Amino acid sequence: MDESPLPIIEDTTGLSAGYRTLWRLKYLGLSIFGPAERTITASPRERIKWDRAYRVLKAHEAAGTAADEQTIYTVGRMEPRRRPQ
């Protein structure tokens, strides 16, 4: 199992400017004040990266376009372990 950190998806398909701004603030806050290093499944920082990639993938599916490989890879790494509520 690959335990390297997930990449931050640069594709912004389906993400509003407000979402991206709040996401950056949340990521910055978790980087400074968040918990120590954890496994991918237990890290809130990795969870928000995965949530962002999942939103982008769903936006591509809704638009009928293909997501880039990095997005598909990121969603696939955690998807079997976590499903959005």
Side-chain angles (χ1 to χ4, degrees):
M1 180 186 300
D2 187 8
E3 288 296 325
S4 61
L6 296 173
I8 297 174
I9 302 303
E10 294 182 18
D11 185 357
T12 59
T13 303
L15 304 178
S16 68
Y19 175 85
R20 292 190 315 261
T21 301
L22 290 175
W23 188 90
R24 282 281 175 201
L25 290 172
K26 183 186 263 186
Y27 186 77
L28 179 64
L30 285 171
S31 296
I32 296 170
F33 302 109
E37 293 295 317
R38 294 183 172 187
T39 62
I40 287 188
T41 56
S43 173
R45 217 172 18 236
E46 299 304 313
R47 175 61 189 202
I48 67 168
K49 287 188 220 177
W50 180 81
D51 285 338
R52 179 182 174 125
Y54 188 79
R55 283 178 179 244
V56 169
L57 182 66
K58 290 301 173 191
H60 275 290
E61 288 175 358
T65 58
D68 63 337
E69 290 180 24
Q70 187 179 39
T71 302
I72 295 168
Y73 169 74
T74 302
V75 171
R77 279 193 48 201
M78 279 184 70
E79 193 166 33
R81 295 177 248 183
R82 296 214 178 192
R83 298 273 184 203
Q85 284 95 14

